[in-house]
Short mmCIF file of all heavy atoms in Angstrom, two decimals:
data_model
loop_
_atom_site.label_atom_id
_atom_site.label_comp_id
_atom_site.label_asym_id
_atom_site.label_seq_id
_atom_site.Cartn_x
_atom_site.Cartn_y
_atom_site.Cartn_z
N MET A 1 -173.56 -24.61 108.89
CA MET A 1 -173.17 -23.25 108.60
C MET A 1 -173.48 -22.93 107.15
O MET A 1 -173.24 -23.73 106.25
CB MET A 1 -171.67 -23.13 108.87
CG MET A 1 -171.13 -21.76 108.76
SD MET A 1 -171.14 -21.03 110.40
CE MET A 1 -170.64 -19.42 110.02
N LYS A 2 -174.03 -21.77 106.93
CA LYS A 2 -174.39 -21.34 105.58
C LYS A 2 -173.15 -20.90 104.82
O LYS A 2 -172.19 -20.38 105.40
CB LYS A 2 -175.38 -20.17 105.63
CG LYS A 2 -176.68 -20.48 106.33
CD LYS A 2 -177.54 -21.36 105.49
CE LYS A 2 -178.86 -21.59 106.19
NZ LYS A 2 -179.74 -22.44 105.47
N THR A 3 -173.19 -21.06 103.50
CA THR A 3 -172.08 -20.61 102.68
C THR A 3 -172.17 -19.10 102.49
O THR A 3 -173.22 -18.49 102.71
CB THR A 3 -172.09 -21.28 101.29
OG1 THR A 3 -173.26 -20.83 100.59
CG2 THR A 3 -172.08 -22.79 101.40
N LYS A 4 -171.06 -18.52 102.09
CA LYS A 4 -171.01 -17.07 101.86
C LYS A 4 -172.03 -16.66 100.79
O LYS A 4 -172.70 -15.64 100.92
CB LYS A 4 -169.60 -16.65 101.46
CG LYS A 4 -169.42 -15.17 101.36
CD LYS A 4 -167.97 -14.81 101.12
CE LYS A 4 -167.83 -13.30 101.11
NZ LYS A 4 -166.44 -12.88 101.03
N GLN A 5 -172.16 -17.48 99.75
CA GLN A 5 -173.10 -17.17 98.67
C GLN A 5 -174.55 -17.16 99.17
O GLN A 5 -175.34 -16.30 98.81
CB GLN A 5 -172.94 -18.17 97.51
CG GLN A 5 -173.81 -17.87 96.32
CD GLN A 5 -173.54 -16.50 95.72
OE1 GLN A 5 -172.43 -16.02 95.72
NE2 GLN A 5 -174.59 -15.87 95.21
N GLU A 6 -174.90 -18.11 100.03
CA GLU A 6 -176.25 -18.15 100.58
C GLU A 6 -176.54 -16.90 101.43
O GLU A 6 -177.64 -16.34 101.37
CB GLU A 6 -176.44 -19.40 101.43
CG GLU A 6 -176.50 -20.68 100.63
CD GLU A 6 -176.52 -21.91 101.51
OE1 GLU A 6 -175.79 -21.95 102.52
OE2 GLU A 6 -177.27 -22.84 101.17
N ILE A 7 -175.55 -16.48 102.18
CA ILE A 7 -175.72 -15.28 103.00
C ILE A 7 -175.87 -14.05 102.12
O ILE A 7 -176.71 -13.19 102.37
CB ILE A 7 -174.55 -15.12 104.00
CG1 ILE A 7 -174.57 -16.28 105.00
CG2 ILE A 7 -174.62 -13.78 104.72
CD1 ILE A 7 -173.37 -16.35 105.91
N LEU A 8 -175.06 -13.95 101.06
CA LEU A 8 -175.17 -12.83 100.13
C LEU A 8 -176.54 -12.79 99.45
O LEU A 8 -177.12 -11.72 99.25
CB LEU A 8 -174.05 -12.88 99.09
CG LEU A 8 -172.65 -12.56 99.60
CD1 LEU A 8 -171.62 -12.85 98.52
CD2 LEU A 8 -172.57 -11.12 100.06
N GLU A 9 -177.06 -13.96 99.10
CA GLU A 9 -178.39 -14.03 98.50
C GLU A 9 -179.45 -13.56 99.49
O GLU A 9 -180.39 -12.85 99.12
CB GLU A 9 -178.69 -15.45 98.03
CG GLU A 9 -177.89 -15.87 96.83
CD GLU A 9 -178.03 -17.35 96.49
OE1 GLU A 9 -178.83 -18.05 97.17
OE2 GLU A 9 -177.34 -17.81 95.57
N ARG A 10 -179.31 -13.94 100.74
CA ARG A 10 -180.28 -13.52 101.77
C ARG A 10 -180.19 -12.01 102.00
O ARG A 10 -181.22 -11.35 102.16
CB ARG A 10 -180.01 -14.28 103.07
CG ARG A 10 -181.03 -14.00 104.12
CD ARG A 10 -182.40 -14.51 103.71
NE ARG A 10 -183.35 -14.14 104.72
CZ ARG A 10 -184.57 -13.71 104.49
NH1 ARG A 10 -185.02 -13.63 103.25
NH2 ARG A 10 -185.37 -13.39 105.46
N ILE A 11 -178.98 -11.47 102.00
CA ILE A 11 -178.81 -10.01 102.15
C ILE A 11 -179.51 -9.30 101.00
O ILE A 11 -180.21 -8.30 101.22
CB ILE A 11 -177.32 -9.63 102.22
CG1 ILE A 11 -176.71 -10.09 103.54
CG2 ILE A 11 -177.14 -8.13 102.05
CD1 ILE A 11 -175.20 -9.92 103.63
N SER A 12 -179.35 -9.81 99.80
CA SER A 12 -179.99 -9.22 98.63
C SER A 12 -181.51 -9.25 98.77
O SER A 12 -182.20 -8.26 98.48
CB SER A 12 -179.56 -9.96 97.37
OG SER A 12 -180.22 -9.45 96.25
N ALA A 13 -182.06 -10.36 99.23
CA ALA A 13 -183.51 -10.48 99.41
C ALA A 13 -184.00 -9.51 100.48
O ALA A 13 -185.06 -8.88 100.32
CB ALA A 13 -183.88 -11.91 99.78
N ILE A 14 -183.26 -9.39 101.55
CA ILE A 14 -183.65 -8.47 102.64
C ILE A 14 -183.60 -7.03 102.15
O ILE A 14 -184.47 -6.22 102.48
CB ILE A 14 -182.77 -8.68 103.88
CG1 ILE A 14 -183.07 -10.05 104.50
CG2 ILE A 14 -182.98 -7.58 104.90
CD1 ILE A 14 -182.11 -10.44 105.62
N LYS A 15 -182.59 -6.70 101.34
CA LYS A 15 -182.49 -5.34 100.79
C LYS A 15 -183.70 -5.02 99.90
O LYS A 15 -184.19 -3.89 99.90
CB LYS A 15 -181.19 -5.15 100.03
CG LYS A 15 -179.99 -4.99 100.93
CD LYS A 15 -178.72 -4.74 100.15
CE LYS A 15 -177.56 -4.53 101.10
NZ LYS A 15 -176.29 -4.29 100.41
N GLU A 16 -184.17 -6.02 99.15
CA GLU A 16 -185.36 -5.82 98.32
C GLU A 16 -186.58 -5.54 99.21
O GLU A 16 -187.39 -4.66 98.90
CB GLU A 16 -185.61 -7.03 97.44
CG GLU A 16 -184.61 -7.21 96.33
CD GLU A 16 -184.80 -8.51 95.56
OE1 GLU A 16 -185.86 -9.15 95.71
OE2 GLU A 16 -183.88 -8.87 94.81
N ASP A 17 -186.71 -6.29 100.30
CA ASP A 17 -187.81 -6.07 101.24
C ASP A 17 -187.72 -4.68 101.87
O ASP A 17 -188.73 -3.99 102.00
CB ASP A 17 -187.82 -7.13 102.33
CG ASP A 17 -188.18 -8.52 101.81
OD1 ASP A 17 -188.78 -8.59 100.72
OD2 ASP A 17 -187.86 -9.50 102.49
N ALA A 18 -186.51 -4.29 102.24
CA ALA A 18 -186.32 -2.97 102.85
C ALA A 18 -186.66 -1.86 101.85
O ALA A 18 -187.23 -0.84 102.23
CB ALA A 18 -184.88 -2.82 103.34
N GLN A 19 -186.33 -2.07 100.58
CA GLN A 19 -186.66 -1.08 99.55
C GLN A 19 -188.17 -0.96 99.39
O GLN A 19 -188.70 0.14 99.23
CB GLN A 19 -186.01 -1.47 98.22
CG GLN A 19 -186.27 -0.50 97.10
CD GLN A 19 -185.74 0.89 97.39
OE1 GLN A 19 -184.71 1.04 98.02
NE2 GLN A 19 -186.44 1.90 96.95
N LEU A 20 -188.88 -2.08 99.44
CA LEU A 20 -190.34 -2.06 99.35
C LEU A 20 -190.94 -1.27 100.51
O LEU A 20 -191.85 -0.46 100.31
CB LEU A 20 -190.89 -3.48 99.33
CG LEU A 20 -192.40 -3.63 99.26
CD1 LEU A 20 -192.93 -3.07 97.96
CD2 LEU A 20 -192.78 -5.09 99.41
N ILE A 21 -190.42 -1.48 101.69
CA ILE A 21 -190.91 -0.74 102.86
C ILE A 21 -190.62 0.74 102.70
O ILE A 21 -191.46 1.59 103.02
CB ILE A 21 -190.28 -1.32 104.15
CG1 ILE A 21 -190.86 -2.71 104.41
CG2 ILE A 21 -190.53 -0.38 105.34
CD1 ILE A 21 -190.19 -3.46 105.52
N GLU A 22 -189.44 1.07 102.20
CA GLU A 22 -189.09 2.48 101.97
C GLU A 22 -190.06 3.13 100.98
O GLU A 22 -190.48 4.27 101.16
CB GLU A 22 -187.66 2.58 101.45
CG GLU A 22 -187.15 3.99 101.31
CD GLU A 22 -187.02 4.71 102.63
OE1 GLU A 22 -186.63 4.09 103.62
OE2 GLU A 22 -187.34 5.92 102.68
N GLU A 23 -190.43 2.40 99.94
CA GLU A 23 -191.40 2.91 98.96
C GLU A 23 -192.76 3.15 99.61
O GLU A 23 -193.42 4.15 99.34
CB GLU A 23 -191.53 1.94 97.79
CG GLU A 23 -190.31 1.87 96.91
CD GLU A 23 -190.37 0.74 95.90
OE1 GLU A 23 -191.44 0.11 95.74
OE2 GLU A 23 -189.33 0.49 95.27
N LYS A 24 -193.19 2.22 100.46
CA LYS A 24 -194.47 2.38 101.17
C LYS A 24 -194.42 3.61 102.09
O LYS A 24 -195.40 4.35 102.20
CB LYS A 24 -194.80 1.14 101.99
CG LYS A 24 -194.94 -0.12 101.19
CD LYS A 24 -196.32 -0.26 100.67
CE LYS A 24 -196.46 -1.63 100.03
NZ LYS A 24 -197.58 -1.72 99.16
N LEU A 25 -193.29 3.81 102.76
CA LEU A 25 -193.14 4.99 103.62
C LEU A 25 -193.24 6.27 102.79
O LEU A 25 -193.92 7.23 103.18
CB LEU A 25 -191.80 4.96 104.35
CG LEU A 25 -191.74 4.14 105.62
CD1 LEU A 25 -190.30 3.92 106.04
CD2 LEU A 25 -192.52 4.82 106.73
N THR A 26 -192.58 6.28 101.67
CA THR A 26 -192.60 7.46 100.78
C THR A 26 -194.02 7.73 100.29
O THR A 26 -194.45 8.90 100.26
CB THR A 26 -191.65 7.24 99.59
OG1 THR A 26 -190.34 6.98 100.08
CG2 THR A 26 -191.63 8.46 98.68
N GLN A 27 -194.74 6.68 99.94
CA GLN A 27 -196.13 6.85 99.49
C GLN A 27 -196.98 7.46 100.59
O GLN A 27 -197.79 8.36 100.34
CB GLN A 27 -196.74 5.51 99.09
CG GLN A 27 -196.23 4.95 97.80
CD GLN A 27 -196.79 3.56 97.53
OE1 GLN A 27 -197.47 2.98 98.37
NE2 GLN A 27 -196.47 3.02 96.36
N GLU A 28 -196.80 6.97 101.80
CA GLU A 28 -197.62 7.46 102.90
C GLU A 28 -197.25 8.91 103.25
O GLU A 28 -198.11 9.72 103.53
CB GLU A 28 -197.46 6.55 104.13
CG GLU A 28 -198.53 6.70 105.16
CD GLU A 28 -199.93 6.34 104.67
OE1 GLU A 28 -200.08 5.47 103.78
OE2 GLU A 28 -200.89 6.93 105.20
N PHE A 29 -195.96 9.23 103.19
CA PHE A 29 -195.53 10.60 103.49
C PHE A 29 -195.92 11.58 102.39
O PHE A 29 -195.98 12.79 102.63
CB PHE A 29 -194.02 10.67 103.72
CG PHE A 29 -193.62 10.36 105.13
CD1 PHE A 29 -192.78 9.30 105.40
CD2 PHE A 29 -194.08 11.13 106.19
CE1 PHE A 29 -192.40 9.00 106.70
CE2 PHE A 29 -193.71 10.84 107.50
CZ PHE A 29 -192.88 9.78 107.76
N SER A 30 -196.21 11.09 101.19
CA SER A 30 -196.61 11.98 100.11
C SER A 30 -198.05 12.46 100.29
O SER A 30 -198.47 13.43 99.64
CB SER A 30 -196.45 11.29 98.76
OG SER A 30 -197.39 10.25 98.62
N LYS A 31 -198.80 11.79 101.16
CA LYS A 31 -200.18 12.22 101.43
C LYS A 31 -200.17 13.48 102.30
O LYS A 31 -199.19 13.76 103.00
CB LYS A 31 -200.93 11.12 102.17
CG LYS A 31 -201.13 9.85 101.37
CD LYS A 31 -201.84 8.80 102.19
CE LYS A 31 -202.00 7.51 101.42
NZ LYS A 31 -202.65 6.48 102.25
N LEU A 32 -201.26 14.19 102.26
CA LEU A 32 -201.41 15.34 103.14
C LEU A 32 -201.43 14.87 104.59
O LEU A 32 -201.87 13.75 104.89
CB LEU A 32 -202.70 16.10 102.82
CG LEU A 32 -202.76 16.76 101.44
CD1 LEU A 32 -204.14 17.36 101.22
CD2 LEU A 32 -201.68 17.81 101.31
N HIS A 33 -200.98 15.71 105.48
CA HIS A 33 -200.82 15.32 106.89
C HIS A 33 -202.09 14.70 107.49
O HIS A 33 -202.00 13.66 108.14
CB HIS A 33 -200.36 16.53 107.70
CG HIS A 33 -199.95 16.19 109.08
ND1 HIS A 33 -200.84 16.17 110.13
CD2 HIS A 33 -198.74 15.81 109.59
CE1 HIS A 33 -200.21 15.82 111.23
NE2 HIS A 33 -198.92 15.60 110.94
N PRO A 34 -203.26 15.30 107.32
CA PRO A 34 -204.46 14.70 107.95
C PRO A 34 -204.85 13.34 107.36
O PRO A 34 -205.56 12.56 107.99
CB PRO A 34 -205.58 15.71 107.69
CG PRO A 34 -204.93 16.92 107.16
CD PRO A 34 -203.56 16.57 106.70
N ASP A 35 -204.38 13.05 106.14
CA ASP A 35 -204.75 11.81 105.46
C ASP A 35 -203.79 10.65 105.75
O ASP A 35 -204.04 9.52 105.34
CB ASP A 35 -204.81 12.03 103.95
CG ASP A 35 -205.90 13.03 103.58
OD1 ASP A 35 -206.89 13.14 104.33
OD2 ASP A 35 -205.74 13.70 102.55
N ARG A 36 -202.70 10.93 106.43
CA ARG A 36 -201.70 9.89 106.70
C ARG A 36 -202.18 8.91 107.77
O ARG A 36 -202.84 9.28 108.72
CB ARG A 36 -200.39 10.52 107.17
CG ARG A 36 -199.71 11.31 106.10
CD ARG A 36 -198.44 11.93 106.61
NE ARG A 36 -197.89 12.83 105.60
CZ ARG A 36 -196.98 13.75 105.84
NH1 ARG A 36 -196.50 13.90 107.06
NH2 ARG A 36 -196.54 14.50 104.88
N ASP A 37 -201.83 7.67 107.58
CA ASP A 37 -202.13 6.62 108.56
C ASP A 37 -200.91 6.49 109.47
O ASP A 37 -199.91 5.86 109.12
CB ASP A 37 -202.41 5.31 107.84
CG ASP A 37 -202.82 4.19 108.78
OD1 ASP A 37 -202.66 4.35 110.01
OD2 ASP A 37 -203.27 3.15 108.27
N PHE A 38 -200.98 7.10 110.64
CA PHE A 38 -199.82 7.16 111.52
C PHE A 38 -199.50 5.82 112.16
O PHE A 38 -198.34 5.55 112.48
CB PHE A 38 -200.01 8.26 112.57
CG PHE A 38 -199.95 9.63 111.94
CD1 PHE A 38 -201.12 10.30 111.64
CD2 PHE A 38 -198.74 10.21 111.63
CE1 PHE A 38 -201.07 11.54 111.02
CE2 PHE A 38 -198.68 11.45 111.02
CZ PHE A 38 -199.84 12.13 110.72
N MET A 39 -200.48 4.96 112.33
CA MET A 39 -200.20 3.61 112.81
C MET A 39 -199.40 2.83 111.76
O MET A 39 -198.46 2.11 112.09
CB MET A 39 -201.51 2.87 113.14
CG MET A 39 -202.26 3.46 114.32
SD MET A 39 -201.35 3.32 115.87
CE MET A 39 -201.52 1.59 116.18
N LEU A 40 -199.76 3.01 110.50
CA LEU A 40 -199.02 2.37 109.42
C LEU A 40 -197.60 2.91 109.35
O LEU A 40 -196.64 2.15 109.20
CB LEU A 40 -199.73 2.58 108.08
CG LEU A 40 -199.01 2.03 106.85
CD1 LEU A 40 -198.83 0.53 106.95
CD2 LEU A 40 -199.76 2.42 105.59
N LEU A 41 -197.44 4.22 109.48
CA LEU A 41 -196.11 4.82 109.45
C LEU A 41 -195.24 4.29 110.58
O LEU A 41 -194.06 3.98 110.38
CB LEU A 41 -196.21 6.34 109.54
CG LEU A 41 -196.68 7.06 108.28
CD1 LEU A 41 -196.95 8.53 108.58
CD2 LEU A 41 -195.66 6.90 107.17
N LYS A 42 -195.82 4.16 111.76
CA LYS A 42 -195.07 3.64 112.90
C LYS A 42 -194.65 2.19 112.64
O LYS A 42 -193.50 1.81 112.89
CB LYS A 42 -195.93 3.72 114.16
CG LYS A 42 -195.22 3.31 115.42
CD LYS A 42 -196.12 3.51 116.63
CE LYS A 42 -195.42 3.08 117.91
NZ LYS A 42 -196.26 3.28 119.09
N PHE A 43 -195.58 1.39 112.13
CA PHE A 43 -195.27 0.00 111.81
C PHE A 43 -194.17 -0.10 110.76
O PHE A 43 -193.22 -0.87 110.92
CB PHE A 43 -196.54 -0.72 111.33
CG PHE A 43 -196.26 -2.08 110.79
CD1 PHE A 43 -196.05 -3.14 111.65
CD2 PHE A 43 -196.22 -2.31 109.42
CE1 PHE A 43 -195.79 -4.41 111.15
CE2 PHE A 43 -195.96 -3.57 108.92
CZ PHE A 43 -195.75 -4.63 109.79
N LEU A 44 -194.30 0.67 109.68
CA LEU A 44 -193.31 0.62 108.60
C LEU A 44 -191.93 1.05 109.10
O LEU A 44 -190.91 0.48 108.71
CB LEU A 44 -193.76 1.48 107.43
CG LEU A 44 -194.95 0.96 106.63
CD1 LEU A 44 -195.41 2.00 105.62
CD2 LEU A 44 -194.63 -0.36 105.96
N HIS A 45 -191.90 2.05 109.97
CA HIS A 45 -190.62 2.52 110.50
C HIS A 45 -189.95 1.41 111.32
O HIS A 45 -188.75 1.16 111.18
CB HIS A 45 -190.82 3.76 111.37
CG HIS A 45 -189.58 4.22 112.04
ND1 HIS A 45 -188.53 4.76 111.34
CD2 HIS A 45 -189.18 4.18 113.33
CE1 HIS A 45 -187.55 5.04 112.19
NE2 HIS A 45 -187.93 4.69 113.39
N LYS A 46 -190.73 0.72 112.15
CA LYS A 46 -190.17 -0.37 112.94
C LYS A 46 -189.69 -1.51 112.05
O LYS A 46 -188.63 -2.10 112.28
CB LYS A 46 -191.20 -0.89 113.94
CG LYS A 46 -191.42 0.06 115.09
CD LYS A 46 -192.39 -0.51 116.11
CE LYS A 46 -192.56 0.44 117.28
NZ LYS A 46 -193.41 -0.11 118.32
N GLU A 47 -190.46 -1.83 111.02
CA GLU A 47 -190.06 -2.88 110.08
C GLU A 47 -188.76 -2.49 109.37
O GLU A 47 -187.86 -3.32 109.22
CB GLU A 47 -191.15 -3.11 109.03
CG GLU A 47 -192.30 -3.92 109.52
CD GLU A 47 -191.91 -5.37 109.75
OE1 GLU A 47 -191.44 -6.05 108.82
OE2 GLU A 47 -192.09 -5.83 110.88
N LYS A 48 -188.68 -1.25 108.96
CA LYS A 48 -187.47 -0.76 108.27
C LYS A 48 -186.26 -0.91 109.18
O LYS A 48 -185.20 -1.38 108.75
CB LYS A 48 -187.66 0.69 107.85
CG LYS A 48 -186.48 1.28 107.14
CD LYS A 48 -186.73 2.74 106.80
CE LYS A 48 -185.46 3.38 106.29
NZ LYS A 48 -185.60 4.81 106.15
N CYS A 49 -186.40 -0.55 110.43
CA CYS A 49 -185.30 -0.67 111.39
C CYS A 49 -184.88 -2.13 111.58
O CYS A 49 -183.68 -2.43 111.64
CB CYS A 49 -185.69 -0.06 112.73
SG CYS A 49 -185.86 1.73 112.70
N CYS A 50 -185.84 -3.02 111.62
CA CYS A 50 -185.54 -4.45 111.77
C CYS A 50 -184.78 -4.98 110.56
O CYS A 50 -183.78 -5.70 110.71
CB CYS A 50 -186.82 -5.25 111.98
SG CYS A 50 -187.59 -4.98 113.57
N TRP A 51 -185.24 -4.64 109.37
CA TRP A 51 -184.58 -5.12 108.16
C TRP A 51 -183.17 -4.56 108.06
O TRP A 51 -182.23 -5.28 107.70
CB TRP A 51 -185.37 -4.75 106.91
CG TRP A 51 -186.62 -5.56 106.71
CD1 TRP A 51 -187.89 -5.06 106.63
CD2 TRP A 51 -186.75 -6.97 106.58
NE1 TRP A 51 -188.78 -6.08 106.47
CE2 TRP A 51 -188.11 -7.27 106.42
CE3 TRP A 51 -185.84 -8.02 106.58
CZ2 TRP A 51 -188.58 -8.57 106.26
CZ3 TRP A 51 -186.31 -9.32 106.43
CH2 TRP A 51 -187.66 -9.57 106.27
N GLU A 52 -183.01 -3.26 108.38
CA GLU A 52 -181.68 -2.66 108.31
C GLU A 52 -180.74 -3.29 109.33
O GLU A 52 -179.56 -3.50 109.05
CB GLU A 52 -181.77 -1.15 108.53
CG GLU A 52 -182.40 -0.42 107.35
CD GLU A 52 -182.65 1.05 107.63
OE1 GLU A 52 -182.57 1.49 108.79
OE2 GLU A 52 -182.93 1.77 106.65
N SER A 53 -181.26 -3.62 110.49
CA SER A 53 -180.45 -4.28 111.51
C SER A 53 -180.02 -5.67 111.03
O SER A 53 -178.86 -6.07 111.21
CB SER A 53 -181.25 -4.40 112.81
OG SER A 53 -180.52 -5.11 113.77
N ALA A 54 -180.92 -6.39 110.41
CA ALA A 54 -180.60 -7.72 109.89
C ALA A 54 -179.51 -7.63 108.82
O ALA A 54 -178.58 -8.45 108.80
CB ALA A 54 -181.85 -8.38 109.32
N ILE A 55 -179.61 -6.64 107.96
CA ILE A 55 -178.60 -6.46 106.92
C ILE A 55 -177.24 -6.18 107.54
O ILE A 55 -176.23 -6.77 107.16
CB ILE A 55 -179.01 -5.32 105.95
CG1 ILE A 55 -180.23 -5.73 105.13
CG2 ILE A 55 -177.85 -4.94 105.04
CD1 ILE A 55 -180.89 -4.60 104.37
N ARG A 56 -177.21 -5.27 108.52
CA ARG A 56 -175.95 -4.93 109.18
C ARG A 56 -175.32 -6.16 109.85
O ARG A 56 -174.11 -6.39 109.74
CB ARG A 56 -176.15 -3.83 110.23
CG ARG A 56 -176.21 -2.44 109.67
CD ARG A 56 -176.13 -1.38 110.76
NE ARG A 56 -177.10 -1.58 111.84
CZ ARG A 56 -178.34 -1.12 111.83
NH1 ARG A 56 -178.78 -0.43 110.80
NH2 ARG A 56 -179.14 -1.33 112.86
N GLU A 57 -176.15 -6.96 110.51
CA GLU A 57 -175.63 -8.14 111.21
C GLU A 57 -175.08 -9.17 110.22
O GLU A 57 -174.02 -9.76 110.46
CB GLU A 57 -176.72 -8.78 112.07
CG GLU A 57 -177.11 -7.95 113.26
CD GLU A 57 -175.98 -7.80 114.27
OE1 GLU A 57 -175.26 -8.76 114.52
OE2 GLU A 57 -175.85 -6.68 114.81
N LEU A 58 -175.78 -9.40 109.12
CA LEU A 58 -175.30 -10.36 108.15
C LEU A 58 -174.03 -9.88 107.46
O LEU A 58 -173.10 -10.67 107.24
CB LEU A 58 -176.39 -10.65 107.11
CG LEU A 58 -177.55 -11.49 107.59
CD1 LEU A 58 -178.67 -11.51 106.55
CD2 LEU A 58 -177.10 -12.90 107.92
N GLU A 59 -173.97 -8.59 107.14
CA GLU A 59 -172.76 -8.05 106.54
C GLU A 59 -171.59 -8.11 107.52
O GLU A 59 -170.46 -8.40 107.11
CB GLU A 59 -172.99 -6.62 106.05
CG GLU A 59 -173.88 -6.58 104.82
CD GLU A 59 -174.25 -5.18 104.37
OE1 GLU A 59 -174.13 -4.23 105.18
OE2 GLU A 59 -174.66 -5.04 103.21
N TRP A 60 -171.86 -7.87 108.79
CA TRP A 60 -170.82 -7.97 109.81
C TRP A 60 -170.30 -9.41 109.89
O TRP A 60 -169.09 -9.63 109.99
CB TRP A 60 -171.38 -7.54 111.18
CG TRP A 60 -170.41 -7.72 112.29
CD1 TRP A 60 -169.41 -6.89 112.66
CD2 TRP A 60 -170.37 -8.84 113.19
NE1 TRP A 60 -168.74 -7.41 113.74
CE2 TRP A 60 -169.30 -8.61 114.08
CE3 TRP A 60 -171.11 -10.00 113.33
CZ2 TRP A 60 -168.98 -9.51 115.10
CZ3 TRP A 60 -170.78 -10.90 114.33
CH2 TRP A 60 -169.74 -10.64 115.20
N ALA A 61 -171.21 -10.36 109.84
CA ALA A 61 -170.80 -11.76 109.90
C ALA A 61 -169.91 -12.16 108.73
O ALA A 61 -168.99 -12.98 108.86
CB ALA A 61 -172.02 -12.67 109.95
N LEU A 62 -170.16 -11.56 107.57
CA LEU A 62 -169.34 -11.87 106.40
C LEU A 62 -167.96 -11.23 106.46
O LEU A 62 -167.02 -11.76 105.87
CB LEU A 62 -170.05 -11.40 105.12
CG LEU A 62 -171.21 -12.23 104.64
CD1 LEU A 62 -171.82 -11.61 103.40
CD2 LEU A 62 -170.77 -13.65 104.36
N ASN A 63 -167.85 -10.13 107.15
CA ASN A 63 -166.58 -9.42 107.20
C ASN A 63 -165.56 -10.05 108.13
O ASN A 63 -164.40 -9.71 108.10
CB ASN A 63 -166.79 -7.95 107.58
CG ASN A 63 -167.42 -7.17 106.44
OD1 ASN A 63 -167.25 -7.52 105.29
ND2 ASN A 63 -168.16 -6.14 106.77
N ASP A 64 -165.99 -10.96 108.99
CA ASP A 64 -165.04 -11.60 109.91
C ASP A 64 -164.24 -12.68 109.24
O ASP A 64 -164.48 -13.29 108.33
CB ASP A 64 -165.77 -12.18 111.12
CG ASP A 64 -165.99 -11.11 112.19
OD1 ASP A 64 -165.49 -10.00 112.02
OD2 ASP A 64 -166.67 -11.44 113.17
#
């Protein structure tokens, strides 16, 4: 079983990854509509959802 500190460190690392994805989404959305890569946007959105889900699950595990 992981210690609380190890889990908190992992949550912090995942939040950094999620922030990077959010920045990439913002960059792509700042482009004009015809210039946007919609496959990339779809991928980034799915990645963002996965990271956010992981954060929620780890935080839930700590609250018990």
Side-chain angles (χ1 to χ4, degrees):
M1 186 94 186
K2 300 287 183 181
T3 66
K4 187 173 183 174
Q5 184 59 34
E6 289 173 319
I7 295 172
L8 289 172
E9 289 171 4
R10 185 65 183 140
I11 289 172
S12 177
I14 292 172
K15 284 182 178 180
E16 290 174 14
D17 291 340
Q19 181 61 35
L20 179 64
I21 291 171
E22 186 66 38
E23 291 170 10
K24 299 274 187 198
L25 277 166
T26 302
Q27 287 175 354
E28 198 63 30
F29 274 120
S30 69
K31 295 178 182 178
L32 295 174
H33 190 271
D35 296 332
R36 293 179 187 164
D37 183 348
F38 291 99
M39 293 295 287
L40 176 61
L41 286 171
K42 184 176 179 179
F43 171 78
L44 290 172
H45 175 70
K46 287 183 178 184
E47 282 290 302
K48 180 182 171 189
C49 291
C50 289
W51 287 121
E52 289 173 348
S53 176
I55 292 168
R56 279 192 308 273
E57 291 295 320
L58 287 171
E59 289 175 341
W60 175 83
L62 285 178
N63 288 332
D64 276 354

